[in-house]
């Protein structure tokens, strides 16, 4: 189902998040002359920006792709159900048409 797929991709995202943050942090440049508070602020600011971009990508790429795939499957299933309904309706109408008298002669 759609919800199950979203839960799966979210769990995968949460599982990979620490290693992705670690890998991305390798490019973090700290000022050469800065006290502890300035370094801490720099790290927190960088992480906040990185995390926001990560969430944006997750929502607009991963979740969107999952939902589009699921909605397409849902559309296909609904179309198939609709076609089956029309086939059955047509069959029933043909079987019953001999018994229906619209005008008496």
């Amino acid at each position: 189902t759609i919800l199950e797929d979203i839960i799966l991709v979210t769990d995968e995202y949460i599982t990979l998040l620490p290693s992705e943050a670690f890998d991305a942090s390798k490019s973090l440049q700290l000022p050469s002359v800065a006290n502890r508070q300035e370094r801490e602020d720099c790290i927190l600011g960088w992480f906040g920006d990185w995390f926001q971009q990560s969430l944006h990508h997750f929502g607009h790429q991963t979740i969107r792709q999952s939902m589009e795939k699921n909605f397409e499957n849902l559309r296909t299933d609904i179309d198939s159900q609709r076609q089956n309904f029309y086939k059955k309706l047509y069959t029933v109408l043909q079987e019953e048409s001999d018994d229906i008298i619209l005008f008496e002669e």
Side-chain angles (χ1 to χ4, degrees), residues 1-10 12-13 55-75:
T1 67
I2 296 171
L3 181 59
E4 290 170 345
D5 283 354
I6 290 174
I7 290 170
L8 286 174
V9 296
T10 302
E12 182 179 325
Y13 172 73
L55 282 174
H56 180 79
H57 181 267
F58 174 68
H60 289 276
Q61 297 294 319
T62 309
I63 294 289
R64 180 183 217 132
Q65 288 173 355
S66 176
M67 290 183 74
E68 285 175 351
K69 179 188 76 169
N70 279 291
F71 282 129
E72 184 57 37
N73 290 343
L74 184 59
R75 276 188 218 104

Side-chain angles (χ1 to χ4, degrees), residues 68-92:
E68 285 175 351
K69 179 188 76 169
N70 279 291
F71 282 129
E72 184 57 37
N73 290 343
L74 184 59
R75 276 188 218 104
T76 303
D77 187 44
I78 289 171
D79 189 48
S80 174
Q81 294 291 330
R82 181 182 52 79
Q83 288 177 1
N84 287 336
F85 171 76
Y86 287 139
K87 285 177 186 176
K88 287 178 184 177
L89 181 62
Y90 182 74
T91 302
V92 168

Side-chain angles (χ1 to χ4, degrees), residues 15-59:
T15 301
L16 295 175
L17 192 61
S19 62
E20 289 179 1
F22 176 75
D23 290 341
S25 71
K26 293 175 183 177
S27 66
L28 174 63
Q29 297 289 323
L30 295 173
S32 57
V33 179
N35 63 32
R36 187 184 64 78
Q37 184 62 47
E38 291 170 332
R39 288 177 184 260
E40 185 177 299
D41 291 344
C42 183
I43 292 169
L44 289 175
W46 173 87
F47 181 74
D49 292 343
W50 177 86
F51 188 57
Q52 185 176 8
Q53 290 174 358
S54 176
L55 282 174
H56 180 79
H57 181 267
F58 174 68

